[in-house]
Amino acid sequence: MDSSDPSINEGRSRSDHEHVRYGLDCQHHLSGLYGRQHLRRANHGRTRKADSAHVYGSIFDSWVYCSEVPEARLRGSLGLIPSLFLTFGVVLSYIAGAFFSWRISCYVCSVPIILMFIVLWTVPESPYWYLLKGRHEDCKASLRWLRGPRYDFSAELAEMEEKINSVGRKVEYRELWRPRTRKPFLISLFMSTLQQVSGGNILMMFTGLIFISAGVENHRMATVVTGLVQIVFTLLCMFTADRLGRRPLIIASTLIIGVATLLLGVYYLMSDVFEIKWPPWVPLLSVLTAVAGYCLGCRTMPWLLSAELFNTTIRSTANTATLFYNRLLSVAILQIYPFYEEAFGAHTVFFTFGGLSLICSLVSFFVVPETKGKTLEQIQEHFESTKKKKMKHNIIHPASEVNTATSV
């Protein structure tokens, strides 16, 4: 049979698009990989609201949990573990979708969820949550399990108790607009906006379709390579978050993804408007670079910062509100993208994402605080202090320096 037959080519194109669609279904299924692990903790507090609302809420609570249990010097690396597991889930869906049918892919993607559900029966509740509920002995037992039997956590526990007593234990939604919470909340919303308008989710969700439209041969294997790039740069983000800081990674991430998506826009402009064909490696390199930049900060840091910035009483509620805004914006962009591309062309789409990324990079320099190496209590004191002047470049100073300047 002649391969040049239009009906055959149409059939192949439809098959490719269906394969990508099934891969996307699997990816959405796996995006709950780490979140579903925490469903077991729903009856213990941190995931109750998330479980009743959406599995993504469990993902967000995993960031809250992983920001509360580590020591300050390790919170950046350990707090990004949910991002790493999420990336593993996405890559597993890429690999399963490339080599198996969509049904078998779903079975393969279910295995890690079951294993993690079993393992998490041994994980204790957050010590902050125990303190919030007045369960001091359980809090000590949790800290002892997390820090080790010989670790002296008395100073840490005293600092936690003092901060919870100062902000109160009652959860009130109006707390979101009080001065000590309003600024962290607005920063958290900005970080969610940055994450979505960068175009990273579009590149990840439509990776296969972008490669098909760009004429990349063996687009399925290129999609798998894209997934491996996600793992590498998510690991790089984990290992450098406590050394370089959160803000430098966010700025670098938005710069990289901005330049890469602009280059992708130029490729489509030359191809679709001027009918000048560039080599297929240009869009491939652009997508891989953009995905690398996205995983270096845009994808990971908004979740970590949102879990760090709020006081213990309002942390879970504020993160739930941020999650709702994040998912709403994500759905809107994913739904608008195909119509926007059809109306104005792929080049316009990527020029838009690239330009917004560069703008967000500049704004991040001025509004995003640095939380590296600071305890959650020190971060809260930064926002609660009303007399202290705004520090240069929003750098949060240790509690000892804050206390010498003002009394909270």
Side-chain angles (χ1 to χ4, degrees):
M1 187 177 292
D2 188 1
S3 62
S4 63
D5 188 342
S7 62
I8 296 177
N9 292 331
E10 180 182 356
R12 286 177 179 172
S13 178
R14 185 184 302 112
S15 176
D16 288 337
H17 280 69
E18 288 179 353
H19 183 88
V20 174
R21 178 171 60 82
Y22 288 136
L24 292 177
D25 291 339
C26 248
Q27 178 175 335
H28 282 295
H29 176 68
L30 260 289
S31 66
L33 174 62
Y34 194 85
R36 292 177 193 268
Q37 304 160 12
H38 289 266
L39 291 179
R40 198 272 303 175
R41 296 175 56 243
N43 293 329
H44 292 83
R46 277 300 184 204
T47 56
R48 183 181 300 276
K49 289 178 291 184
D51 181 33
S52 62
H54 196 279
V55 69
Y56 252 106
S58 297
I59 299 177
F60 213 110
D61 272 307
S62 67
W63 271 285
V64 174
Y65 182 84
C66 289
S67 71
E68 290 181 340
V69 297
E71 299 175 66
R73 63 186 180 88
L74 299 174
R75 194 176 58 249
S77 299
L78 299 183
L80 291 174
I81 286 179
S83 297
L84 182 62
F85 272 75
L86 184 63
T87 303
F88 282 148
V90 172
V91 175
L92 180 60
S93 70
Y94 284 166
I95 296 175
F99 296 103
F100 304 107
S101 67
W102 70 269
R103 193 180 302 275
I104 298 299
S105 297
C106 289
Y107 294 146
V108 171
C109 295
S110 299
V111 174
I113 303 171
I114 298 173
L115 293 176
M116 293 304 294
F117 176 82
I118 296 173
V119 171
L120 281 170
W121 280 92
T122 63
V123 175
E125 180 55 82
S126 164
Y128 281 92
W129 187 83
Y130 279 136
L131 274 185
L132 198 61
K133 299 302 178 181
R135 297 164 60 175
H136 296 274
E137 293 302 319
D138 289 331
C139 176
K140 291 179 181 179
S142 178
L143 283 172
R144 191 173 295 109
W145 191 95
L146 292 166
R147 303 289 187 263
R150 298 182 180 179
Y151 185 87
D152 183 11
F153 52 78
S154 56
E156 180 181 1
L157 180 60
E159 187 178 18
M160 291 165 56
E161 290 179 329
E162 180 183 359
K163 183 53 62 179
I164 289 180
N165 291 332
S166 68
V167 300
R169 300 174 186 272
K170 184 179 180 180
V171 178
E172 297 178 340
Y173 285 97
R174 62 183 179 181
E175 170 71 23
L176 291 174
W177 293 108
R178 288 176 177 168
R180 66 185 179 190
T181 309
R182 183 171 59 244
K183 186 175 180 180
F185 187 49
L186 293 176
I187 292 174
S188 184
L189 293 180
F190 166 73
M191 294 302 298
S192 288
T193 303
L194 174 150
Q195 184 187 67
Q196 298 302 326
V197 303
S198 67
N201 278 339
I202 295 296
L203 292 173
M204 304 250 249
M205 297 293 183
F206 295 93
T207 299
L209 295 178
I210 291 173
F211 286 152
I212 292 172
S213 66
V216 176
E217 297 182 6
N218 198 358
H219 61 272
R220 295 177 182 176
M221 187 55 63
T223 302
V224 173
V225 173
T226 303
L228 297 178
V229 169
Q230 293 181 43
I231 292 179
V232 171
F233 281 87
T234 301
L235 285 170
L236 180 62
C237 180
M238 283 184 58
F239 292 137
T240 57
D242 285 318
R243 296 183 180 181
L244 301 180
R246 281 59 156 166
R247 189 172 55 181
L249 288 177
I250 292 170
I251 295 173
S253 174
T254 47
L255 281 175
I256 292 172
I257 193 173
V259 172
T261 49
L262 286 176
L263 178 60
L264 192 59
V266 172
Y267 170 83
Y268 277 106
L269 177 66
M270 301 301 293
S271 176
D272 298 342
V273 178
F274 297 103
E275 297 184 352
I276 300 176
K277 294 294 183 182
W278 286 5
W281 62 263
V282 175
L284 177 60
L285 179 62
S286 299
V287 171
L288 291 179
T289 303
V291 169
Y294 185 64
C295 293
L296 190 63
C298 284
R299 184 186 195 179
T300 53
M301 287 303 169
W303 306 120
L304 178 62
L305 276 173
S306 294
E308 288 181 327
L309 295 180
F310 300 101
N311 63 63
T312 303
T313 304
I314 200 65
R315 184 175 295 127
S316 184
T317 302
N319 279 291
T320 301
T322 304
L323 169 65
F324 176 77
Y325 169 78
N326 184 285
R327 292 298 91 197
L328 190 65
L329 188 59
S330 175
V331 169
I333 291 176
L334 288 173
Q335 293 299 318
I336 292 172
Y337 163 72
F339 301 101
Y340 189 43
E341 180 186 16
E342 184 177 356
F344 301 102
H347 61 283
T348 304
V349 173
F350 293 114
F351 282 151
T352 302
F353 285 137
L356 290 174
S357 294
L358 295 180
I359 293 173
C360 288
S361 178
L362 179 63
V363 176
S364 298
F365 180 80
F366 294 102
V367 305
V368 176
E370 182 55 74
T371 61
K372 178 186 70 173
K374 308 301 183 291
T375 66
L376 296 177
E377 288 72 30
Q378 290 171 351
I379 296 171
Q380 293 164 31
E381 287 186 12
H382 169 75
F383 294 110
E384 291 174 7
S385 178
T386 57
K387 297 180 181 180
K388 181 171 65 70
K389 293 182 179 180
K390 186 178 180 181
M391 296 298 176
K392 187 178 180 181
H393 300 313
N394 285 331
I395 296 178
I396 299 176
H397 289 260
S400 58
E401 297 181 17
V402 173
N403 291 336
T404 59
T406 184
S407 178
V408 178

